Amino acid sequence: MFSGSTDDRETNELKTMTSWRHDMKNQLGIILGFADLLLQELDSADPHRADLAEIREAGARAMELLGDLKLPE
Amino acid sequence: MRAAGRFNVLCVDDEGGVRELVRRCLVDDNRLLLTIAASGEEALAVTPDPDSVDLLITDEVMPGIEGHELARRLRQANPNLKVLYLTGHTDHLFDAKSQMWNSEAYLDKPFSPEGLREAVALLVVGRLSL
């Protein structure tokens, strides 16, 4: 059953989206942080560096896309 | 009582990956004695002597006690406590706190390992490296 005004519903949806974006940033931050740590620790000739750099780049791109996401005012 | 030149750091975040990331960023520096907690409540429980804590690193938005409230409670017993807020919710932090004190800083998530290490060093010794 519907209850509450349209404004209430929109406010709740905005809160949910804001919280979702915060959670996504948290998870992407963990991916980027561990990728940075490993890139610092691996030898420059380590064969895994290129794969790790791809992971880091994709994580950074995902973060940009998240930043581009426009939430309603 | 802490050993000279060593700093007790209490890290609090409800996200396990962030706790582990902070630990990995700081654990190799043997001047930092890390205590990790998953909530404000756990942080208070594992800190029987708040006066021994040099630096609190805390998430702001957490279930239960939020970061600024945890800092306020620990400061009641330890006015010299330094605080580093890790937050992806800067707006929320400044809704809750109208100003930052001299001994406080915030680091926006996502943070880099270097950014975290530099922020910790700035707060505990006043320069970019320990």
Side-chain angles (χ1 to χ4, degrees):
Chain A
M1 180 167 45
F2 174 75
S3 64
S5 70
T6 304
D7 283 352
D8 287 344
R9 197 171 64 228
E10 287 177 353
T11 301
N12 287 336
E13 285 173 0
L14 180 59
K15 282 182 182 171
T16 301
M17 284 296 291
T18 303
S19 173
W20 174 84
R21 182 159 67 178
H22 171 258
D23 291 345
M24 286 294 290
K25 278 178 72 176
N26 232 2
Q27 298 305 318
L28 286 170
I30 294 166
I31 292 170
L32 290 170
F34 275 98
D36 283 340
L37 274 177
L38 288 172
L39 283 167
Q40 284 173 6
E41 291 169 3
L42 286 183
D43 188 86
S44 59
D46 193 293
H48 296 301
R49 284 191 73 87
D51 294 350
L52 199 47
E54 292 286 350
I55 292 171
R56 202 213 175 281
E57 192 174 331
R61 179 69 187 126
M63 190 69 80
E64 283 177 17
L65 292 170
L66 201 56
D68 290 344
L69 184 68
K70 296 283 186 285
L71 296 183
E73 296 295 326
Chain B
M1 175 85 74
R2 70 184 67 87
R6 305 194 82 184
F7 304 97
N8 289 323
V9 178
L10 174 61
C11 170
V12 190
D13 200 300
D14 61 322
E15 180 63 53
V18 175
R19 292 196 299 275
E20 181 58 17
L21 181 58
V22 171
R23 192 191 69 77
R24 285 273 275 106
C25 290
L26 302 179
V27 73
D28 288 340
D29 193 323
N30 59 17
R31 285 160 296 183
L32 302 177
L33 305 172
L34 295 175
T35 302
I36 310 272
S39 67
E41 288 81 353
E42 184 183 341
L44 293 172
V46 299
T47 312
D49 178 16
D51 200 37
S52 69
V53 180
D54 296 290
L55 172 65
L56 168 68
I57 301 175
T58 182
D59 191 14
E60 168 56 13
V61 179
M62 298 185 284
I65 300 174
E66 294 196 323
H68 70 278
E69 174 61 16
L70 174 63
R72 192 189 66 78
R73 293 193 195 184
L74 290 173
R75 264 223 181 88
Q76 286 179 334
N78 178 6
N80 297 318
L81 179 73
K82 311 282 177 55
V83 183
L84 178 62
Y85 295 98
L86 299 179
T87 179
H89 255 161
T90 315
D91 292 352
H92 182 94
L93 177 62
F94 289 111
D95 283 346
K97 283 175 60 65
S98 59
Q99 68 182 102
M100 302 291 279
W101 303 100
N102 281 338
S103 52
E104 296 182 326
Y106 73 89
L107 197 57
D108 218 6
K109 290 180 181 174
F111 55 85
S112 67
E114 292 87 354
L116 176 63
R117 291 176 188 131
E118 288 180 357
V120 168
L122 274 173
L123 280 165
V124 297
V125 296
R127 56 179 187 270
L128 281 175
S129 61
L130 286 170

